[in-house]
Amino acid sequence: MNILITGGAGFIGSAVIRYLINETQHNILNVDKLTYAGNLESLASIENNSRYHFSQTDICDKENIIQLFNKFQPNAVMHLAAESHVDRSISSSAEFIQTNIVGTFQLLEASRHYWNGLSKEKQDLFRFHHISTDEVYGDLSDSVTELFTETTPYAPSSPYSASKASSDHLVRAWYRTYGLPIIITNCSNNYGPYHFPEKLIPLTILNALQGKKLPVYGNGEQIRDWLYVEDHARALYQVVTKANAGATYNIGGHNEQKNIDVVKDICNLLDELAPNKTLEIASYSDLITFVPDRPGHDVRYAIDARKIKQDLGWVPQESFQSGLRKTVLWYLNNQEWVNRILTGEYQKWIQKQYPL
Ligand code: NAD
Ligand code: DAU
């Protein structure tokens, strides 16, 4: 199968590509603009594989996207390219509207024109898989019983989640109106190796190691439902290869954690694995600092993942404890990847490897 993946140089996209190259025989075309969040170093382990191809292309660039479809002849598209960070969407939302909404529209149109030209047999097998977020559902009350299901009404809170909700609506419209065989997955918070250090877990690990403050928004009581990124990659593969056209699946790890507990767990792991001898602190948790809350901050996310388990047999393999330990160890053992991000070197490395 030929799979065109957008956003493959990002955190989740790179995990999906590493999984597909290492565990399957499919051919991959990674289409990525390489924004600040795109890092080809995350694909260094598979970049020389003959089944892997890369094109530095913006998904909003209609002409080039159409050319890539015609040349690569994909059997499926896995669409992960997006602006993904909620805080950035609050300070500056234009790129979120452009990539997440306009970019998804351009990709849908390119897919539709390409799909129209396929044989009936190939049309039936084709899938446009849109990778989305649980944030489209807004937030849940504090009650531990309430969960997001595939039929929870949309109520996005941030510019990021509103842009993702818009793109979900476009994708469903292309199914209903044009018959393009789409699938949507809505996933909870991912964590794991190669996570860009603007997000809570890698930011906390790296700030702690540098003796910097660990910012916790508001009272830290907000809840996220954490999923190890490699579990997500396996789930996406099950969905793109097995799900019926038009289907929606929620993906989650049944790992609801308060933010403050996540930060404390990371500090405890670092106290054990990288005890600090130079800073004048008893524990990394002494660095925890409560800061003003994120505007519009969602209180609680929690996924009901029964449908994907029942239909496709997917369940996560990592517990939060095992996944967090693996993650902390990965950051401790991959200082070069980390340092090239912290110094900005990673983008120079990309320019050297792929001169424009
Ligand atoms: P990321 O920010 O790490 O990576 C995004 C990638 O998209 C980068 O490689 C970037 O260069 C690329 N990109 C951005 N704009 C582009 C454009 N116009 N054209 C082509 N490429 C472009 O994001 P992520 O965390 O890996 O998330 C991937 C997808 O999964 C997103 O759609 C996100 O909404 C969704 N998602 C993320 C999470 C999570 O916890 N990270 C959870 C659920 C869903
Ligand atoms: O739920 C899925 C979403 O998870 C994805 O769609 C997004 O792309 C992804 O970025 C993530 O969004 P969050 O906003 O939940 O992730 P973030 O890591 O930014 O924040 C996690 C929680 O931690 C959130 O409640 C805000 C809080 N936080 C975050 C940062 C960066 C802090 O308390 N301090 C921080 O410094």
Side-chain angles (χ1 to χ4, degrees), residues 84 133-135 160 189 199-200 215 217 224 259 294 297:
S84 70
T133 170
D134 60 354
E135 298 201 11
Y160 162 70
N189 284 63
K199 307 289 198 309
L200 177 68
Y217 297 167
R224 295 292 181 266
N259 291 339
R294 172 186 278 175
H297 200 169

Side-chain angles (χ1 to χ4, degrees), residues 2 16 49 56 62 72 92 94 98 101 104 127 129 133 135 137 139-141 171 173 254 259 264 295 340:
N2 291 346
V16 171
N49 189 295
Q56 184 173 6
K62 185 177 162 188
F72 184 64
S92 176
Q98 184 62 17
I101 306 178
T104 300
R127 293 289 180 271
H129 180 177
T133 170
E135 298 201 11
Y137 301 126
D139 58 358
L140 296 162
S141 68
V171 172
H254 302 291
N259 291 339
K264 284 182 179 166
R340 278 198 284 266

Side-chain angles (χ1 to χ4, degrees), residues 6-13 31-39 57-60 79-85 99 131-134 160 164 187-191 195-196 198-199 232:
T6 70
F11 167 50
I12 301 173
V31 178
D32 197 301
K33 178 182 175 181
L34 299 180
T35 66
Y36 79 95
N39 186 352
T57 304
D58 186 334
I59 55 165
C60 302
H79 175 33
L80 295 103
E83 288 294 332
S84 70
H85 194 45
T99 287
I131 284 76
S132 191
T133 170
D134 60 354
Y160 162 70
K164 292 296 289 187
C187 188
S188 60
N189 284 63
N190 284 219
Y191 70 104
H195 206 179
F196 195 82
E198 63 188 350
K199 307 289 198 309
H232 190 194

Side-chain angles (χ1 to χ4, degrees), residues 299-323:
V299 175
R300 173 174 166 253
Y301 303 147
I303 287 271
D304 180 345
R306 276 176 300 180
K307 185 179 172 198
I308 187 168
K309 181 181 177 188
Q310 277 159 14
D311 288 5
L312 307 179
W314 174 87
V315 284
Q317 288 176 355
E318 297 292 342
S319 68
F320 188 63
Q321 286 67 32
S322 66

Side-chain angles (χ1 to χ4, degrees), residues 24-220:
T24 78
Q25 288 306 313
H26 302 304
N27 299 306
I28 308 302
L29 173 60
N30 175 13
V31 178
D32 197 301
K33 178 182 175 181
L34 299 180
T35 66
Y36 79 95
N39 186 352
L40 291 174
E41 276 195 77
S42 306
L43 292 162
S45 65
I46 57 85
E47 69 179 357
N48 293 324
N49 189 295
S50 58
R51 290 183 289 111
Y52 171 73
H53 311 276
F54 170 68
S55 171
Q56 184 173 6
T57 304
D58 186 334
I59 55 165
C60 302
D61 179 350
K62 185 177 162 188
E63 300 310 319
N64 277 317
I65 291 288
I66 288 173
Q67 274 186 22
L68 288 173
F69 269 82
N70 290 336
K71 200 168 159 207
F72 184 64
Q73 297 282 307
N75 306 98
V77 172
M78 297 176 84
H79 175 33
L80 295 103
E83 288 294 332
S84 70
H85 194 45
V86 174
D87 291 329
R88 284 178 189 257
S89 82
I90 294 169
S91 50
S92 176
S93 52
E95 281 301 309
F96 289 73
I97 307 304
Q98 184 62 17
T99 287
N100 301 1
I101 306 178
V102 178
T104 300
F105 158 73
Q106 295 294 9
L107 201 65
L108 282 166
E109 277 298 79
S111 301
R112 181 168 77 90
H113 289 299
Y114 163 78
W115 178 78
N116 276 335
L118 295 178
S119 65
K120 172 81 176 73
E121 195 190 348
K122 282 192 173 165
Q123 279 192 342
D124 290 346
L125 292 172
F126 183 85
R127 293 289 180 271
F128 182 101
H129 180 177
H130 179 58
I131 284 76
S132 191
T133 170
D134 60 354
E135 298 201 11
V136 298
Y137 301 126
D139 58 358
L140 296 162
S141 68
D142 254 344
S143 146
V144 285
T145 50
E146 209 187 343
L147 301 171
F148 293 135
T149 72
E150 286 79 1
T151 54
T152 299
Y154 277 33
S157 310
S158 69
Y160 162 70
S161 50
S163 70
K164 292 296 289 187
S166 309
S167 62
D168 288 13
H169 290 319
L170 290 174
V171 172
R172 288 201 178 90
W174 261 241
Y175 175 61
R176 172 87 186 243
T177 305
Y178 305 112
L180 184 72
I182 62 94
I183 320 161
I184 298 181
T185 49
N186 298 88
C187 188
S188 60
N189 284 63
N190 284 219
Y191 70 104
Y194 304 101
H195 206 179
F196 195 82
E198 63 188 350
K199 307 289 198 309
L200 177 68
I201 289 183
L203 179 94
T204 301
I205 298 170
L206 299 187
N207 272 15
L209 290 173
Q210 295 171 90
K212 292 185 181 167
K213 289 181 178 168
L214 309 180
V216 173
Y217 297 167
N219 61 11

